[in-house]
Each structure stands twice: as structure tokens, then as C-alpha cells.
Amino acid sequence: MKVDVLLGLQWGDEGKGKVVDVLTPRYDVVARFQGGPNAGHTLEFEGQKYVLRSIPSGIFQGDKVNIIGNGVVLDPSLFKAEAEALEASGHPLKERLHISKKAHLILPTHRVLDAAYEAAKGDAKVGTTGKGIGPTYTDKVSRNGLRVGDILHNFEEKYAAAKARHEQILKSLNYEYDITETERQWLEGIDYLRQFQLVDSEHEINRLLKAGKSVLCEGAQGTLLDVDFGSYPFVTSSNTICAGACSGLGLGPNKIGEVYGIMKAYCTRVGAGPFPTELFDETGKTLRDLGHEYGAVTGRERRCGWVDLVALRYAIMLNGVTQLILMKSDVLDGFDTIKACVAYKVNGEEIDYFPFDITEGVEPVYAELPGWKTDMTGVTSEDEFPEEFNAYISFLEEQLETPIKIVSVGPDRAQTIERYVD
Ligand code: GDP
Ligand code: IMO
Ligand code: MG
């Protein structure tokens, strides 16, 4: 069996959680492969709304195996809060959630370091989610990290050494902090984590595949936040692209089947960093209001702009996207005209590729399409699409050379329309 991968093609918050939930009935296993509680994946069904941060979005649909892979960074106290809230809402998960022993632990001092490094950057700060993501991945790569499997033997000793290292760094930064309460909660989280199935998930996932089970990998963040290919240094600290599913779960590249690329019909970004199609006018505000563009984790305002096809072509190339999923098209329902960036103008010259640096001097070149001026939130089949919306979809497919197989017209699980169905 193959593994299908679902990931964001923009700067995150494309609607990955919703689509994973919609697709889960077709799979036996859902697995997260990177990121951590910087993610906020929203799902809505039966009048309820849930936000998941570290737990895969397959947790609501039947008896699926859900895996937190080795590429993920896990904060035990946030994990405990998330898991307990799910249990309390009638979604027990201890039997169904398996956690890689190789996933790295976010320590209380990682969160403090995240804040200290941001403070030290001043105006150049990244605008991180403050969850300790960067420092935890830094410790992983510099071979100083603690892993989930470490909680099983001599943990106190290992934790004390890691904490002492961080305290030294924080001292050298003259950064004041108090972790008494967060550390207490964190240690409770460590105890809680011990009740879960801590596994060698690379063996498990490959064994499941061999046994004919199908796997859906759930990406976090988005391609333009990838540490290698995103708008560096305004990125997250993991590989958010499809290759991250191989290293973050222990999968050979030949196991990858479909790659679902998720995109909004416009574009958003949270935190600092370049965003060529950002709108600072009333249209940007309208997109934010209609799309409820506020961070699922931080509540921060999301910056809004038109869809950027140059960046999307880049993302499709990097991920080997085989099909597109178009989200939040309903947000554009009332617009007279819709714009799409088809090229960039740099130093007076038009380019159609994503350049090394998009920080300055990148001017979007727009195509304009007529809006459909129809409420699409109740549409249940492709036949009901207005003519202008069909034209918009065809335009995107042509520009991106990839079929749009799913269209989402609202946050609810039910507001999802499939295309190209035999
Ligand atoms: P994720 O991080 O990629 O899972 O996305 P988020 O959950 O952070 O942000 C997506 C937001 O859009 C959530 O509030 C969803 O409930 C909402 N959403 C998802 N799909 C649609 C859609 O098609 N239309 C509208 N209006 N909202 C949507
Ligand atoms: P989901 O999975 C949107 C952004 C932060 C910041 C940068 C680095 O919900 O799409 P970090 O805390 O990772 O070191 O922050 O990345 N960021 C996200 N933006 N959606 C996310 O996740 C994000 N996760 C991180 O705002 O700009
Ligand atoms: Mg999100």
C-alpha cells in the first residue's frame, strides 16, 4: 500500500485539519510527521468545533490508528491538556494514539529560549508562536535533545542536565524568567505521557503498510514556512514539505502515493516576513473579517492577500503535488472581481519563478477574474457551481497544471465538494 500525504502549500492555516478529517474514513492510519503545538488544526462537525495542535486530525473518525511520528516535537503539558479535552468531549484516544519514542520533547526552558531569542532579535523577530519549536529542533540537530523514549529510563537525570544547559544560555542572555508553574505542569505531562503507547513508529508504520493498511500523513504549517525552501529566516524550524513525511515517519520515498496540496482561494500569513500579495487596504480587511482570519493557536490577526500562483507553482514543484484542494472559496462569494498573482516584477523584469529573496522589490502582476456573486456555502455538488466559479477553477488548474479535486465552501465537514468523481 502507498502512503498519501496532505500538506499546506502556503503559509499555513490552509484548512488541513478539516480535510484530513474529511478524508480519514478512506484510510486506516493518520500520522503527523513534523511540527508541534505551533500548529492549530480546526475541525467542525455536528455543530462542534475542535482545534488540534499535536494530535492527528484522524482522531474523530472511527477506530483509526493515529500516529505522532519521530519528526514531531511534543510538549507534554500541552499534549495532556489537548488529550484530556478530547477525552472529556467523548473522544477517548489512549487506545488509538501511538507516539514515536524518537519524537523530541519541548522543555519548559525551550519555550523561554524561544521568547529570549525573539526578544534579542528586536525588530527582526520572526513572530513565532512562542511554543519553543525553534529551540527544540535546534537541540535535536545539535544532538542535545531529549526524546519521548527518554522518559522511560533515568529521566530525572537527563532532564536536569538539559535544563542546566538551557539555564546557562539564558543567563548569558540576561533573560529573566520563572518556570515554577510551567515546570510543575510539564512534569505532570511527562507522567501522563507514560500512560500512552510509546512506540518505534517507523517499524509500526512500515508493518502496517506491509499488512495492506493505508496511511494518510498530515502536514503542519505550510510549504512557504519550510526551513529550507520557505521565506527564510521567517520560517518554522522543520521540513514542512513532502520529503518531511519520509524523514518524519521513517518512510522510503517510493512509498509516497498521492500528494494532496491544500490552498486557500486567497492567501494568509501569521507572524513576520515577506508576503508579496499582502493587501493593506479594505479588501485585506474584508478577507480577514469574512474568513475569520485569526490564529487558531495564538488568536493573532492573520495578514491577508490575493492568491499567489508563483508561490503555489513553486510549492507544487517542491512537494510533487498530484491533486489540489481549494479551500475557503466561499470567502470570495461577494467579490465583484478576484485577483490572482501570475508573475512577479523584479527590477522592472517579469519573472514567473519564486526567487531567492522576496523581501523587497517584488511587485505582483495580477490577472483579474469576474466574481461569482453567489452564496456557495450551501452548495452540495459541482453541478451547482456558478459559471464564473467554474471559470475561476479552470483558470487555477491551467495556471497550476494540477487538477483541483476537492473544493471546500465552509468550515463544516459537510461543506466539501468532490470533483472528477467517476
Ligand atoms: P489548518 O491549520 O491548515 O488546519 O487551518 P486552520 O484550522 O488554522 O485555519 C483554517 C480555518 O478556516 C479554520 O477556522 C476552519 O474552520 C476554517 N475553514 C476551513 N475550510 C473552510 C472553508 O472552506 N470556508 C470557510 N469559510 N472556512 C473554512
Ligand atoms: P498550521 O499547522 C500558520 C508561523 C509563525 C511564525 C513562524 C515560526 O496551523 O498551519 P514557530 O513557532 O513555528 O517557530 O513560528 O511560523 N507558524 C504558523 N503559521 N500556521 C501554522 O501552523 C504555523 N506554525 C508556525 O506564525 O511566523
Ligand atoms: Mg492552523
Side-chain angles (χ1 to χ4, degrees), residues 69 116 125 175 194 196 220 229 260 303 372 386:
K125 71 175 183 198
Y175 194 79
R194 289 197 177 100
F196 279 78
F229 299 103
Y260 304 103
R303 299 153 62 191
W372 41 93

Side-chain angles (χ1 to χ4, degrees), residues 13 16 39-41 296 302:
D13 302 327
K16 297 173 291 291
H41 294 181
R302 293 180 183 149

Side-chain angles (χ1 to χ4, degrees), residues 11-13 264 266-270 275 293 302-305:
W11 275 289
D13 302 327
K264 280 182 191 171
Y266 48 100
C267 193
T268 62
R269 169 160 211 174
V270 206
F275 179 1
E293 295 295 356
R302 293 180 183 149
R303 299 153 62 191
C304 297

Side-chain angles (χ1 to χ4, degrees), residues 147-165:
R147 299 184 291 175
V148 167
D150 285 323
I151 70 175
L152 303 174
H153 309 282
N154 295 337
F155 181 65
E156 282 70 22
E157 220 174 280
K158 293 177 208 165
Y159 172 59
K163 181 179 156 187
R165 241 190 90 251

Side-chain angles (χ1 to χ4, degrees), residues 106-126:
I106 303 177
L107 274 49
T109 37
H110 279 135
R111 270 195 252 171
V112 182
L113 283 166
D114 196 351
Y117 290 142
E118 281 285 85
K121 282 188 175 223
D123 286 348
K125 71 175 183 198
V126 175

Side-chain angles (χ1 to χ4, degrees), residues 8 12-19 39-44 49-52 57 218-221 262 264 266 290-297 302 326-331 377 407-412 415:
D13 302 327
E14 295 88 351
K16 297 173 291 291
K18 170 185 164 163
V19 183
H41 294 181
T42 316
L43 292 79
E44 285 190 42
K49 181 171 164 173
Y50 303 89
V51 179
L52 297 175
S57 302
E218 173 178 5
Q221 290 74 56
I262 309 229
K264 280 182 191 171
Y266 48 100
L290 295 176
H292 305 293
E293 295 295 356
Y294 297 91
V297 173
R302 293 180 183 149
L326 181 67
M327 308 301 291
K328 301 191 98 161
S329 27
D330 54 294
V331 173
T377 52
V407 174
S408 173
V409 292
D412 196 273
Q415 291 170 298

Side-chain angles (χ1 to χ4, degrees), residues 20-21 24 27-32 43 52 54-69 79 86 91-100 196-199 201 204-205 208 214-218 249:
V20 170
D21 173 61
T24 295
Y27 293 89
D28 302 303
V29 181
V30 179
R32 276 277 304 268
L43 292 79
L52 297 175
S54 300
I55 294 168
S57 302
I59 206 76
F60 296 103
Q61 300 259 26
D63 257 356
K64 311 293 176 176
V65 175
N66 284 264
I67 296 177
I68 295 181
F79 170 75
L86 283 178
H91 301 281
L93 66 166
K94 287 210 180 89
E95 295 303 310
R96 297 180 292 137
L97 183 65
H98 302 176
I99 303 171
S100 169
F196 279 78
Q197 301 182 54
L198 310 181
V199 300
S201 61
E204 182 183 16
I205 204 161
L208 285 162
S214 54
V215 180
L216 177 63
C217 300
E218 173 178 5
L249 286 165

